[in-house]
Amino acid sequence: MIHTREERIEALGRVIDTLEILRVKCPWDAKQTNESLRPNTIEEVYELSDALMNGDVADTRKELGDVLLHILFYSKIADEKGQFDIADVADALNDKLVFRHPHVFGQVQADDAQQVSENWEKIKLREKGGNRTVLSGVPTALPALIKAFRIQEKAANVGFDWEERSQVWDKVREEMDEVEEAVEGSDKNHLEAEFGDLLFSIVNAARLYGVNPDTALEHTNAKFMRRFSHIEATAAAQGRSVTDMSLDEMEAAWQDAKSRE
């Protein structure tokens, strides 16, 4: 359903009004704090991510609502403390969007998405009196794979990148060789470091070829789970457990699952 601007504003207003009532009359909502909500917020974001990955429109709409509730909830708690409210959040967001898009609201030229991204990083460095560093905006709590991707993106946006993307494969091969050498040794810390370097270089390669490594790996995770579930189903259909299957039998079931995709 397509709503008018007024209908959208009214809908958001109803949610805000409902939360105001719940904060007073519902024992659970009334006792929530930033600290108690934070773990739930993380869970809701991951549930939204699942819905987006699955392409489930209805579930995406529901999960977006859950995330929106948390945004409104944190704003309500801050309002109660006299810190800020949802209007302050919206105004700050709008100001930031305008400031960071001078190619739309100003005189800066940007002909493609790459130029926009590069300008974005330069603008962010000028914010807060220029006290930010290039990588300071990468959250420390990000999962390692996503963090590696964002680190590389930010460095690339200020010019720290390969001249030609094909050059990255020499780095990948170099890191693979170093992992193989480390495997022959007995230093586990060194082996861990070399695996980390290899993974970082592969993330870099994915980025240079326009692939989000987190998305790619998540699709592979889902593919593996589908195929392995087929192995288990094959065993169950024979009245057996997967632990009773030989490796050859599991491989045959795996190939059968693969052929069905």
Side-chain angles (χ1 to χ4, degrees):
M1 178 182 295
I2 303 300
H3 295 88
T4 65
R5 184 173 186 274
E6 290 73 19
E7 288 172 332
R8 295 170 186 174
I9 293 173
E10 289 174 3
L12 287 171
R14 284 194 295 273
V15 175
I16 292 172
D17 291 342
T18 298
L19 182 58
E20 293 270 359
I21 295 170
L22 292 174
R23 186 67 173 163
V24 174
K25 295 187 176 182
C26 173
W28 186 90
D29 289 284
K31 74 174 186 178
Q32 297 309 307
T33 65
N34 288 339
E35 292 73 21
S36 67
L37 285 172
R38 191 183 69 84
N40 293 335
T41 305
I42 295 171
E43 180 179 344
E44 295 297 352
V45 171
Y46 276 108
E47 290 178 356
L48 172 60
S49 177
D50 284 345
L52 292 168
M53 289 289 294
N54 294 332
D56 189 324
V57 176
D59 203 28
T60 296
R61 181 180 62 187
K62 180 182 88 65
E63 297 302 339
L64 281 170
D66 291 342
V67 172
L68 176 60
L69 171 60
H70 281 247
I71 294 170
L72 296 174
F73 219 137
Y74 289 119
S75 299
K76 173 59 179 170
I77 292 172
D79 186 17
E80 293 168 354
K81 296 178 179 179
Q83 297 169 336
F84 60 82
D85 62 15
I86 190 61
D88 295 311
V89 173
D91 284 339
L93 173 58
N94 186 69
D95 291 345
K96 180 169 68 175
L97 289 173
V98 171
F99 180 71
R100 292 188 180 179
H101 291 80
H103 54 287
V104 177
F105 302 103
Q107 304 302 316
V108 174
Q109 183 71 24
D111 298 322
D112 55 38
Q114 181 59 34
Q115 285 184 311
V116 172
S117 184
E118 291 173 359
N119 289 339
W120 183 278
E121 293 300 334
K122 293 174 183 177
I123 291 167
K124 287 196 289 186
L125 286 175
R126 294 202 303 269
E127 291 177 344
K128 297 184 179 180
N131 292 326
R132 293 172 62 93
T133 64
V134 173
L135 302 181
S136 62
V138 180
T140 57
L142 276 180
L145 185 66
I146 300 174
K147 186 189 293 185
F149 184 65
R150 292 295 292 130
I151 288 170
Q152 293 166 7
E153 275 191 325
K154 286 181 173 292
N157 283 337
V158 294
F160 190 73
D161 205 358
W162 302 99
E163 292 182 359
E164 299 291 338
R165 65 181 184 178
S166 60
Q167 294 173 319
V168 74
W169 298 114
D170 288 335
K171 185 61 176 176
V172 171
R173 283 187 284 268
E174 174 190 327
E175 298 299 348
M176 288 181 65
D177 289 342
E178 291 180 0
V179 167
E180 290 184 5
E181 291 178 9
V183 167
E184 300 301 321
S186 58
D187 189 335
K188 294 297 183 182
N189 290 331
H190 178 57
L191 180 58
E192 179 187 88
E194 294 301 342
F195 265 114
D197 290 346
L198 174 59
L199 290 170
F200 195 83
S201 69
I202 292 173
V203 169
N204 220 351
R207 175 187 64 83
L208 287 165
Y209 283 86
V211 173
N212 184 303
D214 183 72
T215 302
L217 183 58
E218 187 55 38
H219 283 309
T220 296
N221 288 341
K223 179 170 61 179
F224 183 94
M225 292 176 70
R226 286 195 308 272
R227 293 178 182 178
F228 194 81
S229 293
H230 183 72
I231 295 175
E232 292 181 305
T234 300
Q238 299 170 356
R240 307 162 65 195
S241 167
V242 68
T243 57
D244 299 324
M245 299 178 76
S246 68
L247 184 57
D248 286 342
E249 289 174 319
M250 286 191 280
E251 176 63 22
W254 177 277
Q255 292 300 327
D256 181 49
K258 187 176 179 179
S259 68
R260 296 167 183 260
E261 294 177 348

